[in-house]
Amino acid sequence: MRKSSYHIDAKLILDYQSGDNLALEKLVKRWHKTFCNKAHWIVKDPDVAKDIAQETWNTIISKIDDLNDPKTFASWSLRIVCNKSFDWIKKQNKTKEQLKTYHLESNTEAIEENHETELLQRNLLNAIKKLPLHQQMVIRLFYVEDYSLKDISKSLNISEGTSKSRLYHAREKLKLILKNRHYEK
């Protein structure tokens, strides 16, 4: 995100803290779609993503006075979205279903050569699903969303070194999973 965006957000937050409710409306217009998209990216359900975005706004409104540096709104608010999304995933306990799907897919034989690439991609995605949530998040933010390690650390409220470490360990686990499944030589 550009630096000017941080300043716009900071001004809107300060205006809202000073009693300008219109500033909150502008902030919602700037961020609501991003919150929905981020939650949808994590939970894979558009209706749940909208609910998570709404819950995020409720949390933001109730805690915005505790935000010490308004320029950090982007990472602070996205961290709330991520946390609420992860909480929803934990409640759903979909791990068992995902493991069953993974075993079914990994036991099927490759049908034709042109399907081998698709099978490998599916197995890679399933291998990623086997990683702990914190490692899945770093992998997805780094490779899918093209976040830098610095942006990942801000979004997840962890140090840059922790981001780097989680990415390294996630890669190593993926290598082991894929090697054990004979997808890597």
Side-chain angles (χ1 to χ4, degrees):
M1 189 169 260
R2 292 174 290 168
K3 287 187 179 183
S4 62
S5 294
Y6 294 119
H7 294 295
I8 292 169
D9 294 336
K11 178 165 178 13
L12 290 172
I13 290 166
L14 291 172
D15 289 348
Y16 176 70
Q17 289 173 337
S18 299
D20 181 4
N21 288 332
L22 186 59
L24 179 63
E25 289 180 36
K26 290 178 183 176
L27 200 61
V28 169
K29 284 181 184 177
R30 285 177 53 82
W31 283 95
H32 188 71
K33 186 175 180 182
T34 303
F35 291 172
C36 289
N37 289 342
K38 185 59 66 182
H40 182 259
W41 179 71
I42 296 170
V43 300
K44 308 292 188 245
D45 184 327
D47 295 327
V48 172
K50 290 175 186 174
D51 292 341
I52 289 171
Q54 186 60 48
E55 289 175 25
T56 298
W57 282 114
N58 291 339
T59 301
I60 288 170
I61 291 168
S62 69
K63 296 186 177 192
I64 202 162
D65 290 331
D66 297 337
L67 184 60
N68 295 331
D69 184 2
K71 290 180 187 173
T72 62
F73 177 78
S75 59
W76 177 69
S77 61
L78 288 173
R79 189 171 57 249
I80 294 171
V81 173
C82 290
N83 289 342
K84 289 190 177 297
S85 298
F86 290 141
D87 289 345
W88 183 84
I89 288 172
K90 288 175 188 173
K91 287 179 186 175
Q92 297 305 308
N93 195 12
K94 290 188 175 184
T95 307
K96 291 178 186 177
E97 183 179 323
Q98 291 171 344
L99 288 174
K100 287 178 187 176
T101 303
Y102 174 76
H103 289 297
L104 288 174
E105 290 176 355
S106 66
N107 291 332
T108 60
E109 296 179 18
I111 301 168
E112 297 174 8
E113 282 184 36
N114 60 347
H115 293 293
E116 283 181 313
T117 303
E118 183 181 354
L119 182 62
L120 183 58
Q121 288 173 343
R122 265 188 289 176
N123 288 324
L124 178 60
L125 290 173
N126 285 323
I128 291 171
K129 289 178 185 176
K130 293 187 86 166
L131 296 173
L133 278 176
H134 66 275
Q135 289 179 346
Q136 285 183 39
M137 190 66 190
V138 171
I139 287 283
R140 289 183 176 165
L141 287 172
F142 189 80
Y143 288 107
V144 178
E145 296 288 325
D146 289 328
Y147 276 38
S148 68
L149 289 172
K150 186 176 182 178
D151 290 337
I152 292 171
S153 66
K154 286 181 183 177
S155 293
L156 299 179
N157 196 28
I158 57 177
S159 71
E160 194 170 339
T162 301
S163 297
K164 193 180 294 186
S165 174
R166 286 182 184 177
L167 184 61
Y168 171 80
H169 290 291
R171 287 175 181 156
E172 293 300 310
K173 282 184 183 179
L174 286 174
K175 285 179 190 176
L176 281 175
I177 291 169
L178 295 174
K179 193 172 188 176
N180 290 337
R181 295 290 178 188
H182 307 291
Y183 297 117
E184 182 183 87
K185 294 182 181 182

